[in-house]
Amino acid sequence: MARLKLKKLEEYLQGVDGFEQPKILLEQYPTPPHIAACMIHHMQSQHKDIEGKLVGDLGCGCGMLSIGATFMGAQLTVGFELDGDAVDTFRGNVQDMELPNVDCVRSDVLQLAGSKWEKTFDTVVMNPPFGTKHNAGMDMRFLEIALKLATGAVYSLHKTSTRAYIEKKALEWGARASVVAELRYNIDASYKFHKQKSKDIEVDFWRFEISKN
Amino acid sequence: MKLSTYNFLTSMAIKGVKVGFPLKLTINKKEEVESEFNPTFIERLLPKLDWAAIYGAAQVAELADDIPPTQPENIGENELLLQKLHHLLFEIDVLEGQLECPETGRIFPITDGIPNMLLNEDEV
């Protein structure tokens, strides 16, 4: 694939279908195309972590990040997703866009620890559940697993309020962590009980470099 | 489901399963897709491939003549074999079928190209 410009990538990602009926308990919302494009573009242009690589997407949902990675030249991308409806949407997106080299496995990310996927992916990307609704700490569990699956780098989003805690845990888990960017994340009122129309939350875009041991 | 993905799937998350690999593959429907040949990528992937499992999958896909039953030396110099491997790993998409745990017989269905590895509460 030819080197893609950020604007073009974002354009392509705007064509990715989101969740038809997002499930609140699973914190389902598509990573906004602009954010996904900036993330993926950064991963390749600054660190060469996408093109020609084996990429994993934990909690891939409808596939925004997986598809972004594929457009950016990932040689093979595997998405992991729990929810059957999301998996169907993922598959529909990949078929509509006629993308080769993307697979989806319906599974529980938390069961990937100790699996054959460990130390398999060059790069793991994810927008994990933040652990707000009844599953606090879920993003940390995703992160711990991601760090086991990757050999090169893990890219993830976490609430800014958890920054110090993540820095500490990353060290414990043997990774060099850095905040790449601070994002203001806009989750449109996809859940009916949002009081305000649009809610901005502060999110850090992290890069974790796996220690070569 | 590409056969490259198949290479990594196990049933080891099931309680009591010791190895859970390789899963017994059944293909009911498959299609061929085109993907760009990248020999460097295949060579990097080789150490992570279980050749016996891949050969077994090749037999199920009726492509067993394409690769030898055991991993030969110096694959990097064998362009033809790399191309066959490429085709096997990335250009066969299993659309309908199943995967079976070698220890418990538990079936994981493959539907619309996606293997469902979810376990029930009592299996974990």
Side-chain angles (χ1 to χ4, degrees), chain A residues 119-187:
Chain A
K119 296 210 196 312
T120 290
F121 296 106
D122 296 311
T123 304
V124 169
V125 304
M126 62 186 188
N127 179 6
F130 284 164
T132 49
K133 305 263 170 304
H134 312 294
N135 61 355
M138 185 58 74
D139 61 333
M140 296 309 293
R141 297 177 73 187
F142 267 58
L143 179 58
E144 191 177 6
I145 289 175
L147 293 172
K148 291 186 178 153
L149 303 192
T151 57
V154 171
Y155 291 90
S156 184
L157 298 178
H158 301 273
K159 289 187 293 182
T160 301
S161 55
T162 61
R163 189 182 292 184
Y165 181 65
I166 290 180
E167 246 151 16
K168 190 178 80 157
K169 287 310 257 186
L171 263 177
E172 265 177 54
W173 291 333
R176 249 182 30 220
S178 51
V179 174
V180 169
E182 288 173 30
L183 312 172
R184 275 215 122 81
Y185 212 100
N186 189 312
I187 305 174

Side-chain angles (χ1 to χ4, degrees), chain B residues 21-119:
Chain B
F21 180 86
L23 299 173
K24 183 164 162 229
L25 173 65
T26 305
I27 300 177
N28 296 327
K29 185 167 163 211
K30 62 173 158 64
E31 72 177 1
E32 294 203 355
V33 297
E34 251 182 61
S35 115
E36 207 182 306
F37 179 55
N38 184 337
T40 314
F41 183 78
I42 299 178
E43 283 188 70
R44 279 200 310 120
L45 191 61
L46 272 174
K48 301 172 196 164
L49 291 181
D50 185 301
W51 194 274
I54 294 300
Y55 184 71
Q59 286 176 305
V60 176
E62 293 168 337
L63 291 168
D65 292 339
D66 280 8
I67 63 166
T70 52
Q71 183 167 340
E73 306 270 309
N74 299 323
I75 292 188
E77 292 156 32
N78 191 337
E79 170 100 357
L80 183 60
L81 179 55
L82 283 175
Q83 279 175 355
K84 296 284 190 193
L85 259 181
H86 169 82
H87 182 69
L88 193 58
L89 293 172
F90 308 121
E91 297 190 323
I92 311 285
D93 200 4
V94 179
L95 296 177
E96 308 288 331
Q98 62 180 47
L99 301 162
E100 184 184 317
C101 170
E103 290 167 49
T104 64
R106 209 273 200 197
I107 304 284
F108 300 95
I110 303 170
T111 318
D112 200 21
I114 299 186
N116 184 349
M117 310 305 292
L118 285 182
L119 300 175

